[in-house]
Amino acid sequence: MTEKSITALAGVGSRRAEQYARLGVTTVGELLRLYPRTYEDWSKQVTVPTAPAGAPCCVRAKIVGDLQKRPMQKGGMMYGVAASDGVCLFTVTLFNAGYTAARLRAGETFLFFGAVTRTRSGFQMFAPQIKSPAEGGYIRPIYPQTAGLSSHITERHMKAALAEFDKTPQTELVSEEERARLGLCTARFALHNIHFPESGEALKKARERLIFDELYLFELGLLGRRAQLRAVGGKVLTADASAAFEGMLPFALTGAQKRAIADGVRDMQSGKPMSRLVQGDVGSGKTAVAASLMLSAVQSGWQCAFMAPTALLAQQHAQTLRHMLGDSARVVLLIGGLPAAEKRAALAAIADGSADIVVGTHALLSDTVRFSNLGLVITDEQHRFGVQQRTTLAEKGVHPHLLIISATPIPRTLAMFLFGDMDVSVLNERPAGRQPVKTFAVGTALRERVYAYIRKKAAAGQQAYVVCPLVEKSEESDAVDAVSYYKMLKNGALRDIPVALLHGQMSAKEKEAAMAAFAAGDVKVLVATVVIEVGVDVPNATLMVIEDADRFGLSQLHQLRGRVGRGKAASDCVLISDAENEEARRRLATMCSTADGFKIAEEDFEMRGPGDFFGDRQHGALPQMRIARLSRDMETLQRARAAAERVLKNDPHLQKAENAALHAAVEALFENGGDMLSD
């Protein structure tokens, strides 16, 4: 019944179905998973003097006076009546609600739901909801709404959906043994009480179970995929070029880099496809780790694909790899916008195997790209790609090894959620010669001194970034915008210094030209938006100035700061802000006190949850969570993972009859990865 069209419910016709579709609801099952966004608790009545300040609450009271009415200045009628909760008197005021007001007769008792306000003339409830004691006294769900579809209407249809649900046999996804171990209620109890709670405690138990179920299915999918990867055969590395690669470098690898390389070599020698995440702070040397493993792959006769999120970054990676590997490997670049002849040559080299390493953007996913012997797939900043994109690239080979490198330090708990199907190597050492970046937070009153410091840097032959939160002026925000700021600096404080502008609304050619001029040193100051957050390596850039720094999240500030300090000269980051709110000041203080990206990530996760790490860029990479929240439910995630491990230990692919419903639920959650648990 639950997967039938929502029009199977009485009262839901085609017009109503269109309204539900706007909320992502097309079936009865999807309606049941349309959880309330909040609740009105009519079950607990308070007296007016004990009502929470400014918060909605329920007051049971008797009408003790006659209804008063008077016209309002702009038309309409206002009604007022005295009521008593048994402790004190208060006034109920209604606006243009004559029908409801007429019900409020002296001696009658009602439930009033709304905020209690204290005025000079005493306690008041303005425009409360009103019910008789017989029809109130429960916790009422409030659902997401859209034009023509109120919460009251959804409430009525939800009762019908639950009645249909109760008629059909349901299979528990969590065994009785696991429910007892974890103290979870049944799924049926949870579904009824998330919509129509019997009590506050019942609602709490329902939420716990439904949050657990979402995370449990997600972990089963990730761990199942991990088991699936390890169940198939992978190419076996025949050449370990680690020592040879290190001998080619003009610098020494850190201990963390050596460990990550050894991890990758061991994975590729195991006979199982590698699935490894290498994460490290900005400047920790991830590209060198990738280059070493690619050299081993090439010497074993394989091709490598290296996918980057932007054309600029792909070009930089190609240049860096050519410099590092010299004649040991042929590196080919494949990005959108290549001249036709270059593109044809690149595709031919990829197809015939003469291209050892192919560096590119989403262009690598094109059907025209055919590899001769793809053995190693590397993606940079994986959270900018969806699961489907990663899968598409991997399918261009036969069970190739997979390496993800990320310069976004991710808290351990969040990494477990995002990359639970992967092994992890952490680069937590700074390469020799890298200078720490000193960070200062200053108010706008010191801007002129900041401009003087920029001029001093430029005079010394160094370069600076100035980052603004907006592209152009906005009526909705008073934040500093890059376009106006660029004009102001170019025509004023820095008129004698080459200044360029870079933002996301410029064309690809304009962006590349601005960045290339900056990288070449022709431009001394680059005024930009966060488009440079992941950008080209410019070792000569030694100063990062961030305007309205309080408008950025901690991890974003840290990523921006990572654009400097990439050479051997001392570098600085100046955060300009007049913010006085406590959270903003805490973020700026954290930036000034530590350069450890992992500490910053943990602090950011604690303050803001996972959104600041990935935002909309995460689109398509994870199933939608309807009720679970990573920042709040990490403890439940850990319990869910442990439970998933126990189930998969006895049934790695969920093939046993008792796990058929569980298998189907996991596949349904991973719409783009339905083979998560298949052989």
Side-chain angles (χ1 to χ4, degrees):
M1 171 65 204
T2 57
E3 296 316 311
K4 285 186 178 180
S5 168
I6 194 169
T7 55
L9 295 176
V12 181
S14 58
R15 186 175 64 85
R16 191 71 76 198
E18 289 175 6
Q19 294 166 348
Y20 274 117
R22 292 201 292 267
L23 297 176
V25 173
T26 59
T27 67
V28 176
E30 287 170 343
L31 178 63
L32 290 169
R33 294 188 293 275
L34 182 69
Y35 302 129
R37 59 180 176 80
T38 187
Y39 298 85
E40 292 174 356
D41 191 352
W42 296 71
S43 68
K44 293 179 182 176
Q45 284 103 47
V46 300
T47 60
V48 165
T50 61
C57 60
C58 186
V59 176
R60 182 188 178 102
K62 180 186 288 188
I63 304 301
V64 296
D66 295 328
L67 185 67
Q68 306 293 319
K69 63 180 182 179
R70 69 172 185 269
M72 294 184 287
Q73 287 183 348
K74 294 185 178 181
M77 194 68 68
M78 181 168 68
Y79 303 87
V81 67
S84 171
D85 63 1
V87 176
C88 75
L89 292 173
F90 65 102
T91 301
V92 175
T93 302
L94 303 175
F95 306 95
N96 297 322
Y99 178 79
T100 301
R103 296 173 56 199
L104 305 181
R105 292 184 290 270
E108 297 284 340
T109 297
F110 296 91
L111 297 179
F112 299 93
F113 191 91
V116 174
T117 305
R118 186 162 196 165
T119 66
R120 290 181 180 179
S121 56
F123 289 108
Q124 298 260 3
M125 288 189 82
F126 292 100
Q129 295 183 63
I130 303 171
K131 294 181 184 294
S132 70
E135 63 178 342
Y138 67 100
I139 301 175
R140 180 175 168 249
I142 305 297
Y143 292 98
Q145 299 173 48
T146 185
L149 189 63
S150 69
S151 182
H152 282 284
I153 293 171
T154 299
E155 185 178 343
R156 186 171 71 245
H157 294 150
M158 196 66 73
K159 288 176 180 176
L162 285 167
E164 293 295 338
F165 171 79
D166 286 340
K167 293 177 185 177
T168 58
Q170 300 294 324
T171 304
E172 268 283 355
L173 299 182
V174 183
S175 69
E176 188 174 352
E177 179 186 354
E178 279 294 339
R179 293 201 308 273
R181 183 201 306 268
L182 299 167
L184 297 173
C185 66
T186 65
R188 188 179 295 272
F189 179 93
L191 196 57
H192 275 273
N193 280 276
I194 199 67
H195 292 294
F196 302 104
E198 298 168 3
S199 64
E201 184 61 29
L203 174 58
K204 181 182 177 184
K205 285 185 173 297
R207 287 182 61 83
E208 285 175 354
R209 172 60 199 269
L210 292 171
I211 289 169
F212 176 86
D213 280 3
E214 276 194 346
L215 298 175
Y216 179 52
L217 293 176
F218 185 85
E219 287 299 326
L220 280 169
L222 284 182
L223 294 172
R225 183 179 183 280
R226 184 172 182 160
Q228 175 194 1
L229 288 172
R230 293 178 175 179
V232 300
K235 295 176 179 290
V236 178
L237 198 72
T238 57
D240 179 358
S242 306
F245 173 76
E246 189 170 3
M248 295 162 62
L249 298 175
F251 54 85
L253 295 173
T254 66
Q257 285 174 304
K258 291 178 181 178
R259 288 190 294 273
I261 292 169
D263 289 340
V265 168
R266 187 171 59 251
D267 287 348
M268 292 191 290
Q269 289 175 336
S270 70
K272 303 293 181 183
M274 173 172 68
S275 184
R276 181 169 292 276
L277 166 68
V278 174
Q279 66 160 332
D281 215 338
V282 172
S284 57
K286 296 172 293 300
T287 306
V289 171
S292 178
L293 294 176
M294 282 191 282
L295 184 59
S296 293
V298 169
Q299 292 191 0
S300 296
W302 309 341
Q303 289 175 295
C304 306
F306 192 147
M307 187 161 70
T310 68
L312 279 170
L313 204 53
Q315 288 170 314
Q316 179 175 300
H317 280 314
Q319 184 179 344
T320 300
L321 291 172
R322 287 170 182 146
H323 179 70
M324 282 184 170
L325 300 175
D327 297 330
S328 302
R330 181 185 175 189
V331 179
V332 168
L333 179 68
L334 185 65
I335 57 176
L338 279 181
E342 284 186 39
K343 184 176 181 180
R344 283 195 301 272
L347 291 173
I350 296 168
D352 67 22
S354 60
D356 298 313
I357 297 171
V358 185
V359 183
T361 54
H362 296 79
L364 291 175
L365 305 176
S366 168
D367 290 339
T368 59
V369 179
R370 293 184 174 86
F371 285 84
S372 170
N373 185 23
L374 181 61
L376 175 60
V377 171
I378 299 176
T379 59
D380 187 14
E381 297 296 334
Q382 164 63 22
H383 63 270
R384 294 168 185 259
F385 301 105
V387 168
Q388 194 60 44
Q389 292 169 314
R390 181 173 93 186
T391 302
T392 299
L393 185 54
E395 286 174 349
K396 291 181 180 291
V398 179
H399 304 309
H401 298 284
L402 175 65
L403 182 74
I404 290 170
I405 61 175
S406 176
T408 305
I410 305 169
R412 183 186 59 82
T413 45
L414 186 56
M416 182 173 75
F417 185 87
L418 292 172
F419 302 108
D421 58 332
M422 309 196 77
D423 297 304
V424 180
S425 297
V426 175
L427 302 183
N428 53 6
E429 299 175 34
R430 180 179 287 270
R434 282 290 175 97
Q435 296 288 325
V437 180
K438 293 180 180 178
T439 304
F440 309 91
V442 302
T444 56
L446 294 181
R447 266 207 192 104
E448 289 300 327
R449 289 180 61 180
V450 173
Y451 298 156
Y453 194 45
I454 293 175
R455 289 194 292 271
K456 180 179 177 182
K457 286 280 189 179
Q462 297 172 11
Q463 294 165 274
Y465 294 96
V466 179
V467 174
C468 304
L470 297 181
V471 173
E472 294 183 293
K473 280 193 179 300
S474 167
E475 292 181 2
E476 300 173 2
S477 174
D478 59 354
V480 174
D481 71 284
V483 172
S484 300
Y485 206 91
Y486 161 71
K487 292 176 181 176
M488 182 268 292
L489 289 182
K490 185 174 180 170
N491 300 321
L494 305 181
R495 68 175 66 88
D496 299 326
I497 298 171
V499 181
L501 175 66
L502 179 67
H503 59 74
Q505 294 178 15
M506 294 164 62
S507 70
K509 284 189 176 180
E510 288 173 328
K511 284 188 283 190
E512 287 178 22
M515 200 66 232
F518 188 66
D522 299 332
V523 166
K524 297 300 181 186
V525 179
L526 186 65
V527 178
T529 57
V530 292
V531 70
I532 62 152
E533 182 184 355
V534 174
V536 174
D537 191 355
V538 183
N540 194 47
T542 60
L543 176 61
M544 169 64 68
V545 177
I546 303 176
E547 284 282 358
D548 282 333
D550 57 286
R551 295 176 184 266
F552 299 91
L554 257 178
S555 290
Q556 202 167 41
L557 287 172
H558 182 64
Q559 286 292 104
L560 290 169
R561 176 169 62 183
R563 293 296 96 213
V564 297
R566 305 178 80 84
K568 294 188 177 180
S571 296
D572 305 288
C573 177
V574 180
L575 309 174
I576 301 179
S577 171
D578 287 334
E580 295 183 358
N581 75 74
E582 186 177 342
E583 184 183 305
R585 293 172 71 90
R586 179 179 166 188
R587 288 202 303 274
L588 300 182
T590 299
M591 284 293 295
C592 294
S593 65
T594 182
D596 186 325
F598 289 94
K599 285 183 181 177
I600 286 172
E602 292 287 354
E603 178 83 0
D604 201 15
F605 187 62
E606 180 185 327
M607 284 196 284
R608 294 161 62 93
D612 188 55
F613 289 91
F614 308 115
D616 292 338
R617 296 170 303 200
Q618 186 64 16
H619 178 70
L622 293 174
Q624 180 186 5
M625 296 288 109
R626 295 179 182 272
I627 194 168
R629 296 289 180 272
L630 291 185
S631 53
R632 178 195 64 203
D633 300 322
M634 276 298 167
E635 185 177 336
T636 303
L637 174 65
Q638 291 165 1
R639 295 165 68 211
R641 186 179 182 86
E645 288 173 341
R646 287 191 290 269
V647 170
L648 293 175
K649 183 178 181 181
N650 296 318
D651 188 6
H653 300 293
L654 297 182
Q655 292 175 323
K656 294 181 179 179
E658 64 265 30
N659 287 326
L662 198 55
H663 185 285
V666 173
E667 289 196 337
L669 184 65
F670 287 85
E671 292 178 358
N672 288 331
D675 62 346
M676 279 282 176
L677 291 161
S678 303
D679 284 326

